[in-house]
Amino acid sequence: MEYVGNDSIFREEIFKFATYALKYAESLIKFQSLNYANWEFVKLLWLKRFKALRGKWNGPVHDYYYAAMIKFLIGNYDSGVRILQKWNLRNGMRDEWMNKIYMTFCESNLTANQAKSIVVEMVNKRRKLFQSKPSYKKLEGEFLL
């Protein structure tokens, strides 16, 4: 948003941006609930599947990864494995990290608790990485991750 000399138009546009940002933040806060996150990713994957059937989806496949990790976190191991297998069938082993994830969860005989523990460990590693960044350390206050 560029200021062009008109205060009322600028104020109105900034208010629109702030309102949108607040709504977006509220939608992200809902993801604190794993059940909500699970439901949203199930809807997203069905939408992607529908669009792919119509030839209108060519977006990223990371949502399959996130959906599978949520399934593992809520203890639904079989569903998480099925999602990763579908991802593999559609995209193959193009990425090294995908190959590692696939082998960890699909080619190992894990229990639901073991899969959940692996995901929790992965999340904690990411948290430590971000907490070690200088920009994170500059933030004031206590942040819950």
Side-chain angles (χ1 to χ4, degrees):
M1 173 76 218
E2 185 177 335
Y3 181 73
V4 292
N6 189 331
D7 288 347
S8 62
I9 291 175
F10 184 74
R11 190 177 302 118
E12 200 174 294
E13 291 297 316
I14 292 297
F15 182 77
K16 286 180 189 176
F17 285 133
T19 303
Y20 174 78
L22 182 60
K23 287 180 183 177
Y24 184 69
E26 288 173 346
S27 71
L28 292 178
I29 288 170
K30 292 178 185 177
F31 277 88
Q32 288 179 327
S33 163
L34 284 177
N35 289 329
Y36 176 82
N38 180 45
W39 173 246
E40 287 300 310
F41 274 106
V42 167
K43 288 191 320 189
L44 181 67
L45 293 181
W46 277 105
L47 180 64
K48 282 184 173 188
R49 182 183 230 177
F50 178 70
K51 285 184 176 182
L53 289 173
R54 295 177 54 210
K56 296 188 177 192
W57 176 256
N58 61 355
V61 295
H62 292 88
D63 294 330
Y64 290 95
Y65 165 78
Y66 294 129
M69 296 304 115
I70 289 172
K71 293 289 188 186
F72 295 141
L73 281 174
I74 63 174
N76 197 339
Y77 177 74
D78 294 333
S79 291
V81 168
R82 279 194 303 273
I83 289 170
L84 290 177
Q85 288 170 339
K86 286 179 187 175
W87 185 16
N88 182 38
L89 286 174
R90 289 196 174 124
N91 301 291
M93 296 293 185
R94 294 184 296 194
D95 301 320
E96 184 180 327
W97 69 272
M98 172 52 189
N99 190 18
K100 183 178 176 185
I101 294 295
Y102 186 84
M103 291 182 68
T104 299
F105 290 102
C106 298
E107 295 185 359
S108 303
N109 290 328
L110 299 175
T111 65
N113 284 335
Q114 289 171 326
K116 180 179 179 175
S117 295
I118 291 171
V119 174
V120 168
E121 183 180 318
M122 290 165 49
V123 169
N124 286 334
K125 282 182 184 178
R126 282 190 190 165
R127 284 180 179 172
K128 286 180 183 178
L129 172 71
F130 285 110
Q131 289 171 346
S132 70
K133 303 276 183 186
S135 56
Y136 183 87
K137 291 177 182 178
K138 290 179 184 177
L139 294 173
E140 294 182 16
E142 208 47 47
F143 293 95
L144 296 175
L145 296 175

